[in-house]
Amino acid sequence: MKAIAYYERLLNHYAEMPDNEPFDAPIEAVAGVLACTRRNAQLVLRRLADEGYIRWLPGRGRGRQSRLVLLLTRRELALRKARLLVEREHIQEAWQLISALQEEAGIAGDEAAAWVSGQFGLKRSQEERDVLRFPFYRPVPLLDPAYVTRRTEAHWLKQIMNTLVDYSRKDKAVMPQLAHHWEADASFQEWTFFLRKGVYFHDGRLFTPDDVVYTFERVLQHSPSDWMKQLIKDVQPAGKHRIKFQLAEPAAAFPNLLCTERFSIVPQGWDGREAGMPVGTGPFRIVKNNESMLALEAHERYFEGRPHLDRIEMWVWPDYEGQPAPDDMRGNAHLLYSEGQLNRGASAGAVLQQLEQGATYLSFNLAKPGPLQDRKLRFAFHYGLDRFRMVEELQGIRVLPACGFVPESERASAAYAASFNPDKAMALVKQSAYAGEQLQLYTYSMRSNEENAAWLQAECAKLGIRLQVVVLPIEQLADPAVIARADLIVAGEVLGEQPDITLIEMYRSGCGYIANHLDPQHKAAAEAQIAACLRQPDDKARLALLQELEEQLKRDCCLLFLHHHMNIVGHDRTLGGISINAWGKINYKDVWIHG
């Protein structure tokens, strides 16, 4: 980048000189512009000429002046600078420069953005290393399993780490992972897991039972609000390749609970200080994670077989949905998680879609004194919000009004959403204890959340209900003290590979929105239902119990369901092994390249 800085000095000093035409430039004057000695100025000019910035015509003989030709315009220099930043993996700086170019120079910014788009997709090196590169709108600095709460981070943990067991949607069963077998006593309170031999962490250490003990002690100690702390009484090695858990209550579903990402196994002694660079046993290892890029490379000794891809690069491009997608995807194997990009440029590729398991909802804080203790006011929200219009106006990946966390038939969703009756809603507001107080509506930072909150604020104003929107980082909104201050929270719950287990976690989590907003009566009812769930070995029976709980909360209007999302992934047809997981993402270990 030094060459660019030197050229910028020349360009600024000789701004009045014509482009691509020689002009007199004595070496002494040039040395002054470059703030260096005559000898160093000659070296700099030679370098700039070699790299195509200038032509330098040194004066030879008495009375002959040296002449200089500036070959790049300011626009061309900015384009070159953006490319160099990208090539050196300074993606954030490149994005800022291109954004500024688009505002100031229009076409130049679009050219730079188009060039960046061309860097995405499959890149095969001369050594035939397959690198998959794609954009994402934010970095992922927190990949410590003990603290992960967002779907993207949970998805990345699955690429770099393993749990003792894992759930297979295809087989609808818990499958071996770091443990190859497990068994329980008759009470379902003592569980023994038999560990694989010859499993290596990314740093070369051999996996042992001590790593399992360390992982669970760390999670339970670092997450004081974690409800599993009350369930797991003890975890100890039971031999060189066995681990034993003692539980405080019967839990036939215990193996299912261990599939969750926060129980991903870390090596003994990993303290989480480098939270963006965890060490795992998974198919990929992290080699870089900063504000510009997350880069993973294949784990050569992965116990389930080396991945086909050699490297994955997620470039942090905050406005990538606003950038033009290439007209033809066939030249590169692209992977896009943006519906905006898909709509503009993915016609040559394939598009996978699935209705997301989960829903966006509005939680009422019944644990806080105030007007929301009045059922009439809560039902005013229910009758006063037109879910169909919310989906239609906000669009994006919102596709269907919701009547519960698990998507049901369109008829059931339509019946719930069809309760919209603004006259009845306004009558209930007048009959309620609401006296015009400003209620605090919290959500966490994400564009779709902020759109939802703004829409709710505007619609409630029509009913005479005043809402103040408070947007916080998700880490702050995971604090029970902050959750307790909110009158309402609008958020989404994405059900993982096991919807029943995600819901159990949601209702029991010490940092969950609904769990913290329930009044003592509803909290006791939820706890009794969850305890019954844990005793059930069958997932369908657990889900039925959870749906009974959901119906009770709906009857008392403890929360309102708003809408469901559609997961969309676009990819080039040269990518094989593509399927969408519960998070709406791709499991990269299975991806391979045609040809």
Side-chain angles (χ1 to χ4, degrees):
M1 300 295 285
K2 282 187 176 180
I4 287 179
Y6 283 130
Y7 186 75
E8 280 182 318
R9 289 186 185 182
L10 294 174
L11 200 59
N12 291 334
H13 185 79
Y14 296 111
E16 303 301 320
M17 298 300 174
D19 298 331
N20 279 290
E21 291 186 21
F23 56 86
D24 291 344
I27 187 63
E28 292 79 6
V30 171
V33 173
L34 298 177
C36 61
T37 64
R38 176 189 175 104
R39 181 175 180 277
N40 284 339
Q42 290 172 328
L43 293 174
V44 169
L45 291 172
R46 190 175 304 148
R47 177 182 173 185
L48 292 177
D50 290 343
E51 295 185 19
Y53 290 92
I54 65 169
R55 280 207 309 273
W56 173 244
L57 309 170
R60 302 191 186 280
R62 181 176 296 178
R64 298 191 63 182
Q65 292 281 12
S66 298
R67 310 204 79 196
L68 179 64
V69 182
L70 301 176
L71 299 178
L72 300 182
T73 64
R74 197 170 297 279
R75 166 180 162 277
E76 291 167 335
L77 179 66
L79 289 173
R80 180 175 290 200
K81 187 175 183 179
R83 292 185 182 190
L84 281 173
L85 286 168
V86 168
E87 288 167 2
R88 296 182 183 187
E89 299 181 353
H90 300 306
I91 310 299
Q92 279 285 304
E93 292 179 59
W95 173 76
Q96 291 167 1
L97 176 61
I98 290 173
S99 295
L101 276 174
Q102 287 179 314
E103 289 181 10
E104 296 172 10
I107 294 174
D110 291 342
E111 285 180 26
W115 180 84
V116 169
S117 291
Q119 305 309 300
F120 298 136
L122 173 69
K123 303 298 174 184
R124 179 165 284 169
S125 69
Q126 291 182 345
E127 298 81 19
E128 294 203 357
R129 279 171 51 86
D130 292 329
V131 179
L132 182 63
R133 187 181 293 151
F134 60 91
F136 194 64
Y137 73 96
R138 65 175 177 86
V140 285
L142 180 60
L143 290 172
D144 185 337
Y147 298 104
V148 161
T149 57
R150 304 188 74 168
R151 75 164 84 183
T152 296
E153 282 78 352
H155 164 67
W156 281 116
L157 284 182
K158 285 290 188 183
Q159 314 309 308
I160 59 180
M161 311 190 90
N162 294 109
T163 43
L164 289 176
V165 290
D166 196 21
Y167 186 81
S168 167
R169 276 203 298 178
K170 179 182 177 182
D171 299 297
K172 299 187 184 304
V174 176
M175 305 296 285
Q177 203 156 65
L178 291 177
H180 64 84
H181 179 73
W182 53 97
E183 57 193 31
D185 66 358
S187 71
F188 291 110
Q189 288 185 260
E190 182 177 288
W191 286 86
T192 304
F193 289 79
F194 298 80
L195 307 182
R196 289 182 188 269
K197 300 177 181 179
V199 175
Y200 289 89
F201 286 99
H202 299 150
D203 60 5
R205 280 184 276 181
L206 194 64
F207 165 65
T208 72
D210 292 334
D211 300 310
V212 180
V213 173
Y214 177 79
T215 294
F216 278 85
E217 288 181 346
R218 180 176 182 273
V219 170
L220 299 179
Q221 289 172 8
H222 285 227
S223 304
S225 62
D226 197 310
W227 67 273
M228 290 285 279
K229 190 172 185 178
Q230 282 71 52
L231 178 64
I232 299 175
K233 287 174 58 179
D234 190 38
V235 53
Q236 292 294 334
K240 193 174 180 181
H241 301 290
R242 286 184 297 166
I243 200 84
K244 186 166 288 189
F245 292 86
Q246 294 287 343
L247 307 184
E249 61 181 297
F254 186 61
N256 300 78
L257 296 172
L258 298 190
C259 298
T260 56
E261 293 78 14
R262 76 177 183 283
F263 294 124
S264 299
I265 304 301
V266 299
Q268 186 177 21
W270 188 77
D271 58 11
R273 290 181 186 177
E274 292 189 63
M277 299 285 290
V279 177
T281 56
F284 292 94
R285 60 187 181 90
I286 299 180
V287 295
K288 177 180 292 188
N289 189 9
N290 56 36
E291 64 179 10
S292 286
M293 178 188 294
L294 173 67
L296 279 62
E297 292 191 351
H299 182 194
E300 299 288 346
R301 303 171 82 176
Y302 184 51
F303 66 89
E304 289 189 325
R306 185 197 189 280
H308 304 291
L309 292 174
D310 297 293
R311 183 178 169 99
I312 303 165
E313 293 179 1
M314 183 193 81
W315 286 14
V316 179
W317 201 257
D319 192 34
Y320 81 90
E321 290 195 25
Q323 306 296 349
D327 292 331
D328 187 354
M329 291 181 66
R330 287 170 289 188
N332 296 305
H334 280 260
L335 179 66
L336 298 170
Y337 290 118
S338 158
E339 71 273 12
Q341 282 275 17
L342 294 171
N343 292 339
R344 283 191 294 274
S347 58
V351 177
L352 300 179
Q353 300 185 46
Q354 71 177 10
L355 185 60
E356 184 176 272
Q357 298 289 301
T360 298
Y361 64 90
L362 185 64
S363 173
F364 297 113
N365 190 353
L366 304 186
K368 178 182 179 181
L372 286 171
Q373 293 291 334
D374 191 332
R375 293 176 84 253
K376 292 188 180 72
L377 181 59
R378 301 200 301 273
F379 273 98
F381 281 86
H382 174 59
Y383 290 113
L385 297 175
D386 186 347
R387 277 79 151 184
F388 284 107
R389 189 158 55 80
M390 185 179 193
V391 170
E392 182 181 348
E393 290 181 357
L394 297 183
Q395 297 185 356
I397 56 175
R398 304 169 185 87
V399 292
L400 182 71
C403 65
F405 285 111
V406 178
E408 298 185 22
S409 67
E410 287 193 35
R411 180 179 297 177
S413 295
Y416 182 75
S419 58
F420 173 62
N421 187 332
D423 292 336
K424 186 173 184 178
M426 285 188 279
L428 286 169
V429 172
K430 291 177 182 177
Q431 296 166 21
S432 74
Y434 181 66
E437 304 95 324
Q438 189 173 65
L439 302 176
Q440 304 289 307
L441 172 62
Y442 281 39
T443 194
Y444 60 84
S445 305
M446 192 166 74
R447 188 174 69 179
S448 60
N449 283 347
E450 293 167 43
E451 290 172 347
N452 291 334
W455 189 91
L456 291 169
Q457 182 184 44
E459 292 302 304
C460 287
K462 297 175 184 177
L463 305 174
I465 301 172
R466 297 170 59 228
L467 298 182
Q468 180 182 21
V469 174
V470 179
V471 180
L472 298 172
I474 192 170
E475 296 79 13
Q476 287 187 32
L477 202 50
D479 182 346
V482 175
I483 296 170
R485 291 200 295 268
D487 294 300
L488 312 94
I489 291 179
V490 60
E493 189 68 40
V494 182
L495 306 186
E497 302 289 357
Q498 304 178 87
D500 55 316
I501 300 302
T502 306
L503 290 171
I504 290 171
E505 292 266 5
M506 181 191 73
Y507 286 122
R508 269 202 170 179
S509 172
C511 57
Y513 306 145
I514 296 173
N516 279 282
H517 278 184
L518 292 179
D519 60 275
Q521 178 185 349
H522 287 98
K523 198 171 186 66
E527 182 55 38
Q529 206 78 338
I530 297 304
C533 281
L534 292 175
R535 292 191 292 270
Q536 279 287 348
D538 180 64
D539 61 337
K540 292 185 177 63
R542 291 194 295 269
L543 201 54
L545 288 167
L546 290 162
Q547 286 176 323
E548 287 178 14
L549 172 59
E550 181 178 283
E551 287 302 316
Q552 180 181 349
L553 298 180
K554 283 166 62 177
R555 282 195 302 272
D556 294 338
C557 209
C558 299
L559 74 162
L560 294 183
F561 291 101
L562 299 175
H563 51 72
H564 295 298
H565 289 170
M566 183 70 73
N567 294 144
I568 306 173
V569 176
H571 67 93
D572 190 89
R573 298 182 190 279
T574 58
L575 288 176
I578 295 282
S579 61
I580 308 180
N581 60 23
W583 304 117
K585 309 290 185 181
I586 301 301
N587 289 319
Y588 302 111
K589 178 188 178 296
D590 302 326
V591 175
W592 57 281
I593 314 300
H594 288 277

